Amino acid sequence: MLNALKIFSTQRSAWLLLFFSAAALEGTALYFQHGMGLQPCVLCVYERLAMVGLMVAGLLGALAPSSLFFRLLALAVGLFSAIKGLLVSVRHLDLQMNPAPWKQCEFIPNFPETMPFHQWFPAIFNPTGSCDSSQWSLFGITMVQWLVFIFAVYALLLILISLAQFKKARHNRSLFK
């Protein structure tokens, strides 16, 4: 399996799949906000930024998928984004499942002063909602629960692909050629 993942990671289509899947999820979030009128909270904004990180990882890997340097760089960015997104979405889920007055999220995103994404791209990263309210569900599963699952799948796949990078290529020996 690791050998197949290593071969898959050297193909541009694998990285474009990562980019387009993350872009589709980001587009869905923007549709929920601007098309359906759902209001994102601060943690939603952080989850969106993690999804943008996965898009960046897909683009980095697609630049030169046969280069070990670009694959490792893309995997590092992708793993960081997937794990950070998973941690934020687990915290978000905790706020929704166990609401309490002492467990609140901030109203203004805590971005570095040199990168105020909520000021640069307010249509994407400006929070207007509350973290403890659930506004949408599919099959009885809330949006945040879906995000926990999605980020966990991304993290698991990227961990497996990272491990596959250190697997030596196996030469197929056949008795009958």
Side-chain angles (χ1 to χ4, degrees):
M1 179 176 97
L2 289 178
N3 198 33
L5 286 174
K6 184 173 184 178
I7 292 168
F8 184 61
S9 71
T10 61
Q11 298 172 0
R12 185 167 279 118
S13 60
W15 297 104
L16 290 176
L17 178 65
L18 175 62
F19 171 78
F20 284 119
S21 66
L25 290 168
E26 189 73 27
T28 302
L30 292 174
Y31 171 74
F32 283 153
Q33 178 182 355
H34 298 292
M36 293 175 58
L38 302 182
Q39 298 183 359
C41 66
V42 170
L43 295 178
C44 297
V45 167
Y46 294 156
E47 292 157 351
R48 285 183 185 182
L49 193 57
M51 201 59 70
V52 169
L54 288 168
M55 291 168 53
V56 169
L59 288 177
L60 285 172
L63 284 176
S66 58
S67 166
L68 181 62
F69 172 76
F70 276 102
R71 280 198 319 268
L72 291 179
L73 180 64
L75 284 168
V77 170
L79 264 174
F80 176 78
S81 298
I83 291 171
K84 193 67 171 175
L86 179 61
L87 292 174
V88 169
S89 59
V90 165
R91 178 174 173 239
H92 195 174
L93 183 61
D94 180 50
L95 287 174
Q96 286 187 355
M97 301 298 268
N98 305 309
W102 58 86
K103 289 173 30 178
Q104 299 292 322
C105 63
E106 57 269 8
F107 294 108
I108 300 172
N110 191 14
F111 293 127
E113 289 182 20
T114 56
M115 293 186 290
F117 293 113
H118 62 294
Q119 293 172 356
W120 292 348
F121 308 106
I124 301 172
F125 298 118
N126 192 24
T128 55
S130 173
C131 293
D132 58 357
S133 65
S134 178
Q135 303 176 44
W136 179 88
S137 67
L138 178 66
F139 307 122
I141 301 172
T142 66
M143 188 182 308
V144 177
Q145 291 170 328
W146 281 110
L147 282 174
V148 169
F149 174 74
I150 289 166
F151 281 122
V153 168
Y154 275 131
L156 179 65
L157 285 174
L158 289 169
I159 287 170
L160 289 174
I161 291 172
S162 297
L163 292 174
Q165 301 308 305
F166 301 105
K167 175 131 174 65
K168 295 210 182 234
R170 188 174 61 183
H171 298 289
N172 291 334
R173 295 184 197 163
S174 178
L175 285 173
F176 307 105
K177 284 191 175 191

